[in-house]
């Protein structure tokens, strides 16, 4: 007799139960159900919530086989594909069918128009953000130049007050104002290049503010730099002139490197601009394909 928590075997002799020869095993149907549940949950982890004890018990009681003969011979029968197909049991677990909306051409067109509207809105937001950034940089550069002019024309307490105002914006020395302003101007030039590469025009007031800024120090150096000692042989130069010649050679090399870097950035910006133009043309001509890619 197989119970839930244990199994008992009682021999029957001449219609009488021999209780003295009865055996008890601590394995019952509950252990079989637990083992089958563990096997199913391990094999199908995605269906773990649906493999309830009631369903596992139903599978065990209605579809599991009790092997009464030799176990190895029973397993050999499963080597045959026909036997395996005949004894396979398939179950459909409960599920809720999801409604998949079918989009009409009008819905697709409306969705495409909404995406285009959102894209245009994001472009306008990015444009306004870049212009705000350029205005802030221009204002900061003008304020530093004004403080530099005041510092050169001030003495005593007035100079100390100007230096305090410079220190408040992170500039500890009047001589460093030109370098800081050059960095700000370079940022403005880079943002302006990105702004124009995206097809936006500068308004007159902002363009005038940018034009009023001084060029960066490296561009001014490149414009006025000359290297006359490089054309003179070393044997015709003094030791001091040789040292200056080495410095001119280093500055010329640095200028050439900056120029190559500037050209490379311009070429990369041009490639990005062309790619954006192609992307915009593709989006305008075939919006569906553009969304898929």
């Amino acid at each position: 007799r197989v119970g839930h928590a244990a199994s008992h075997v009682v021999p029957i002799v001449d219609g009488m139960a021999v209780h003295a020869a009865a055996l008890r095993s601590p394995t019952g149907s509950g252990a079989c159900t637990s083992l089958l549940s563990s096997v199913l949950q391990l094999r199908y982890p995605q269906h773990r919530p649906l493999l309830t004890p009631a369903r596992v018990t139903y599978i065990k009681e209605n579809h599991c086989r009790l092997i009464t003969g030799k176990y190895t011979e029973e397993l050999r029968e499963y080597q045959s594909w026909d036997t395996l197909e005949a004894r396979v049991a398939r179950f459909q677990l409960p599920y809720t069918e999801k409604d998949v909306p079918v989009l009409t051409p009008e819905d697709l067109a409306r969705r495409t128009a909404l995406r285009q509207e959102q894209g245009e809105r994001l472009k306008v937001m990015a444009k306004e953000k870049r212009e705000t950034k350029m205005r802030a940089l221009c204002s900061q550069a003008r304020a530093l130049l004004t403080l530099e002019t005041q510092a050169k024309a001030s003495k005593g307490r007035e100079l100390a007050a100007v230096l305090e105002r410079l220190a408040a914006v992170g500039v500890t020395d009047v001589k460093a104002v030109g370098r800081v302003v050059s960095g700000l101007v370079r940022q403005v030039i880079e943002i302006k290049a990105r702004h124009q590469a995206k097809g936006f025009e500068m308004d007159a007031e902002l363009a005038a503010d940018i034009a009023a800024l001084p060029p960066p120090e490296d561009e001014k150096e490149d414009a006025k730099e000359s290297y006359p000692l490089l054309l003179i042989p070393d044997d015709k130069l003094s030791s001091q002139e040789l040292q200056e010649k080495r410095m001119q050679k280093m500055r010329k090399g640095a200028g050439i490197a900056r120029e190559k870097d500037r050209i490379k950035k311009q070429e990369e910006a041009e490639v990005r601009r062309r790619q954006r133009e192609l992307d915009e043309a593709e989006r305008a001509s075939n919006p569906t394909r553009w969304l898929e890619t």
Side-chain angles (χ1 to χ4, degrees), residues 96-102:
T96 302
E97 186 175 0
K98 295 182 179 180
D99 294 333
V100 180
V102 179

Side-chain angles (χ1 to χ4, degrees), residues 5 41 57 72 88 150 152 155 231 250 259 267 285:
Q41 291 180 5
T57 301
T72 55
V88 166
Q150 293 176 359
K152 292 179 179 179
K155 294 181 181 180
L231 304 176
M250 292 174 59
E259 183 63 24
E267 292 176 351
S285 61

